[in-house]
Amino acid sequence: MNIVIFGANGPTGRLAVEQARAEGHAVTAVTRAPESFPMKNPRVRVVGADVLDPGAVDGAVAGQDAVISVLGVPFGRSPVAVYSVGVGHIARAMAEHGVRRFVGVTSAVLFGTAAPGEGFLFRKVLEPSVVRFMGRTVYDDMRRMEEIVRATDLDWTVVRPGGLFDREGVSDYRVGTERLPGRYTARADLAHALLRQAVEDRHVRAFVDVRTTQDTPSFLDLLRKEAFSGERGRKKEPVRT
């Protein structure tokens, strides 16, 4: 299967590329910094392109069987448009080239409901503070992206993970079309879920939660890491997914 992955040089993107390559798929890894992409493999074609450039997106999408988007930016105060504008370009290119299958990433907070089983402090204070202040511009653009995707006639799936963290290997994670219990999603699990959705046509035209239940971090550990990555992101503009 021919799969193009946008945001391929981010932590989740690299895992998705590696997992797809290991399964024998032909992968086009799209990144703004191809010189820093670590993987060299005959099944992986690295393309230097900015998702905000519609011509570059069009060239990357042509000839593909499925598109995976793991675009992302760190939290910050500046307006964000990479999700909505980038995925808008992807959707138009897919329509132009007859590519039907799209799988993208937003966040579990967009379910609009509290995680089952959470206590008062997390539901009413901690998570709302992150959504309304630290991550407001990011989540606003994720909502715009979802509206764009929902309005297409593509065979789309949007995966809404919890707080992302690093963990070795794929776990026995949970998947559901409503918000699941738990706060976190390992990047390896997210990459695996994205690939399964794209290859096996699971949950077409649906929003999907992916939740890791093993070896998860504390909320404060994740918050510290996110805050630190945000400071670096304002200087270097890396993807965060």
Side-chain angles (χ1 to χ4, degrees):
M1 189 172 186
N2 296 322
I3 302 174
V4 59
I5 299 177
F6 288 89
N9 216 5
T12 305
R14 291 182 181 184
L15 291 168
V17 171
E18 172 56 32
Q19 291 179 17
R21 180 210 62 78
E23 290 187 11
H25 302 290
V27 185
T28 299
V30 180
T31 170
R32 289 184 302 165
E35 68 283 353
S36 68
F37 191 77
M39 191 181 305
K40 309 296 180 186
N41 187 279
R43 285 191 172 275
V44 178
R45 178 172 69 106
V46 182
V47 173
D50 190 331
V51 75
L52 301 181
D53 178 351
V57 171
D58 187 85
V61 168
Q64 305 295 336
D65 299 310
V67 176
I68 295 175
S69 170
V70 284
L71 298 171
V73 294
F75 289 165
R77 291 184 293 273
S78 300
V80 173
V82 68
Y83 299 97
S84 58
V85 175
V87 170
H89 291 161
I90 291 170
R92 283 190 287 276
M94 291 177 69
E96 176 69 23
H97 294 286
V99 182
R100 297 289 309 164
R101 189 67 175 124
F102 172 83
V103 183
V105 179
T106 56
S107 170
V109 302
L110 271 64
F111 280 108
T113 58
E118 281 293 351
F120 178 86
L121 180 62
F122 186 83
R123 289 187 294 110
K124 297 298 186 180
V125 179
L126 296 178
E127 185 173 79
S129 295
V130 173
V131 173
R132 295 170 188 167
F133 300 105
M134 287 183 62
R136 180 180 59 81
T137 57
V138 167
Y139 294 128
D140 284 349
D141 199 43
M142 284 181 173
R143 291 185 182 93
R144 290 190 289 268
M145 170 193 147
E146 289 193 351
E147 291 172 3
I148 289 169
V149 171
R150 195 201 297 261
T152 72
D153 64 353
L154 300 173
D155 297 330
W156 58 265
T157 302
V158 174
V159 179
R160 292 169 165 175
L164 297 177
F165 72 102
D166 296 317
R167 178 189 185 279
E168 289 295 326
V170 177
S171 74
D172 186 21
Y173 61 87
R174 296 184 62 190
V175 176
T177 53
E178 296 180 349
R179 190 165 184 179
L180 298 171
R183 300 176 184 175
Y184 309 109
T185 306
R187 288 185 171 90
D189 292 343
L190 173 58
H192 188 266
L194 291 168
L195 190 57
R196 297 276 62 75
Q197 295 289 335
V199 172
E200 299 171 14
D201 284 340
R202 300 182 182 181
H203 301 102
V204 175
R205 300 188 71 81
F207 299 99
V208 178
D209 195 353
V210 176
R211 199 64 51 165
T212 300
T213 60
Q214 303 166 247
D215 306 321
T216 56
S218 72
F219 179 77
L220 289 178
D221 286 342
L222 202 67
L223 197 60
R224 288 191 199 100
K225 186 173 182 179
E226 184 60 60
F228 180 65
S229 71
E231 288 301 320
R232 289 184 302 171
R234 282 186 281 277
K235 297 175 183 178
K236 299 182 180 179
E237 298 182 348
V239 294
R240 63 184 289 267
T241 307

